[in-house]
Amino acid sequence: MRLLLFSILALFANSNIYAQGCCSGGAGSPIAGGAATGVLQENQMEISLNYQFNQSDQFYTGDVKSTPLFENLNSNYLFFRTDYGVSKKLTLSIATGYYLKKSLIETHNVDTTSASGLSDLIILPRYSVYNKNANFKRTEIALGIGIKIPLGAPNDSSISIPKSSWAPGYPANDIYQMNPPTVQTTSGSNDFMFYSFFYREYQKRKLRLFVSTLHIKKSFNSLGIKFGDYTSVGFFASKTFFRKWGVTTQIKAERIGEIQAAENIDLLGFYSIDPISTGSKKWFFIPQLSYSQNGITIFATSEIPLYQHLNGTQVGSKQQFTVGINYRFFTKECEPEFELKK
């Protein structure tokens, strides 16, 4: 029962990134913080909590900076994740995230649209298809298939005309307008996730090299909007120093497809989304510093854009910082694989 409660409370999370157009928003990778992982040992659990800050005021037409269409887009996000080693080969990951605040500022802190709330629930099992340890080298290949289920709504609204602005004699009611997708806490669709992980460790050198891929197959939400499919490939190198300090560098390539509309849905007229200004291709450099002791790891990471090509005119990526803590432990004592004969 205690294990079940841990699994429900420590939910794995979603990290929405800015893409999909200046007024269209859209969710990207659901994984925030920490490096890519394979599978845990049997009965081993990892709990992770981190905070992520995202901010951008840069616009691009293709790969050229262009005139801003609004002042700033930013978010403050909490990420909660748990992984559990069901067996030596199978690890179950469950997660969610919560936006403390997600804001679009049009001009000088005036006409600000903000939202907060839960994002998505993600269930992502990972299975080890190959694991070999020999000659102080370890190689692992893991695959995963998961789902993303929205916990929030894609049609939250904000007050556009407060009742206090009405002249005497007029109905004193607030007038609401639906927030743009960039300020929604979820895309609102049920999506499939496909994950792969290749890992190579050189134990004597305390050096680790690995590659991870993630593809999210999006579906239509209740508004008749299908956000573009997301694909990313990450190339990692990690090394331990002084037994407790770790440095990880990553080069990540990602692609987000264009937004699509269901039949009879006018994206521009209904939701102020220009489909031409959706979709992107980007490259990032992501350094990470970590400190580990007694199963606890504290880490900090930053996502630095190297190249970005955005369809049409969109807000691009600029600043993303993450700090977090992981705790890894066994839920019960390890049993020996054999007993010595007396």
Side-chain angles (χ1 to χ4, degrees), residues 6-298:
F6 251 124
S7 298
I8 293 174
L9 293 178
L11 298 174
F12 182 141
N14 167 18
S15 160
N16 291 333
I17 56 175
Y18 304 133
Q20 294 297 15
C22 60
C23 298
S24 54
S29 170
I31 296 177
T37 56
V39 298
L40 299 177
Q41 299 181 53
E42 187 174 3
N43 299 320
Q44 190 177 36
M45 176 172 278
E46 182 177 271
I47 295 175
S48 176
L49 174 66
N50 63 61
Y51 164 79
Q52 183 183 95
F53 172 75
N54 245 315
Q55 183 272 337
S56 182
D57 57 3
Q58 293 182 348
F59 280 75
Y60 289 82
T61 300
D63 57 4
V64 179
K65 288 185 179 181
S66 59
T67 303
L69 300 181
F70 52 78
E71 184 175 323
N72 192 286
L73 181 65
N74 63 76
S75 67
N76 295 274
Y77 185 75
L78 284 179
F79 174 101
F80 207 20
R81 183 195 81 202
T82 185
D83 292 356
Y84 178 69
V86 180
S87 68
K88 293 181 180 179
K89 290 182 174 292
L90 179 64
T91 292
L92 177 63
S93 224
I94 305 176
T96 194
Y98 185 87
Y99 280 100
L100 299 173
K101 192 173 184 180
K102 195 174 186 183
S103 301
L104 187 154
I105 303 172
E106 293 196 18
T107 53
H108 304 293
N109 290 318
V110 179
D111 297 327
T112 299
T113 303
S114 299
S116 62
L118 290 168
S119 53
D120 303 283
L121 172 68
I122 295 174
I123 303 173
L124 182 62
R126 302 189 301 271
Y127 187 80
S128 177
V129 296
Y130 182 83
N131 195 327
K132 184 177 181 180
N133 195 341
N135 299 322
F136 299 100
K137 298 176 183 178
R138 187 166 79 88
T139 304
E140 178 186 351
I141 300 175
L143 302 175
I145 299 178
I147 56 174
K148 179 177 74 68
I149 304 169
L151 297 179
N155 58 349
D156 284 345
S157 58
S158 300
I159 296 176
S160 60
I161 303 178
K163 59 184 179 181
S164 58
S165 65
W166 289 98
Y170 284 86
N173 295 319
D174 294 327
I175 303 298
Y176 287 82
Q177 183 176 4
M178 191 170 72
N179 296 337
T182 41
V183 192
Q184 301 291 346
T185 61
T186 176
S187 63
S189 61
N190 295 289
D191 306 329
F192 288 99
M193 302 171 59
F194 303 90
Y195 174 80
S196 71
F197 174 80
F198 173 82
Y199 177 86
R200 179 75 166 182
E201 180 181 13
Y202 300 90
Q203 295 167 348
K204 286 187 175 181
R205 302 179 187 176
K206 299 181 180 179
L207 175 65
R208 295 164 294 277
L209 304 175
F210 42 104
V211 178
S212 71
T213 67
L214 177 67
H215 178 73
I216 305 176
K217 180 66 176 176
K218 302 294 184 70
S219 62
F220 284 95
N221 63 16
S222 59
L223 303 177
I225 302 173
K226 179 182 180 296
F227 289 89
D229 293 345
Y230 174 91
T231 303
S232 71
V233 181
F235 304 89
F236 300 79
S238 179
K239 188 171 177 60
T240 302
F241 297 91
F242 310 113
R243 296 185 179 182
K244 297 179 180 180
W245 290 93
V247 175
T248 301
T249 58
Q250 178 191 174
I251 296 294
K252 183 177 73 171
E254 70 171 33
R255 180 187 181 279
I256 299 178
E258 296 180 358
I259 285 180
Q260 299 178 29
E263 188 176 358
N264 299 322
I265 297 295
D266 182 357
L267 291 176
L268 189 59
F270 292 172
Y271 308 118
S272 299
I273 298 174
D274 183 3
I276 297 176
S277 291
T278 63
S280 63
K281 297 177 182 177
K282 300 180 183 180
W283 286 82
F284 298 93
F285 172 66
I286 307 173
Q288 177 175 298
L289 179 66
S290 62
Y291 177 83
S292 301
Q293 186 173 8
N294 300 326
I296 297 175
T297 298
I298 301 172

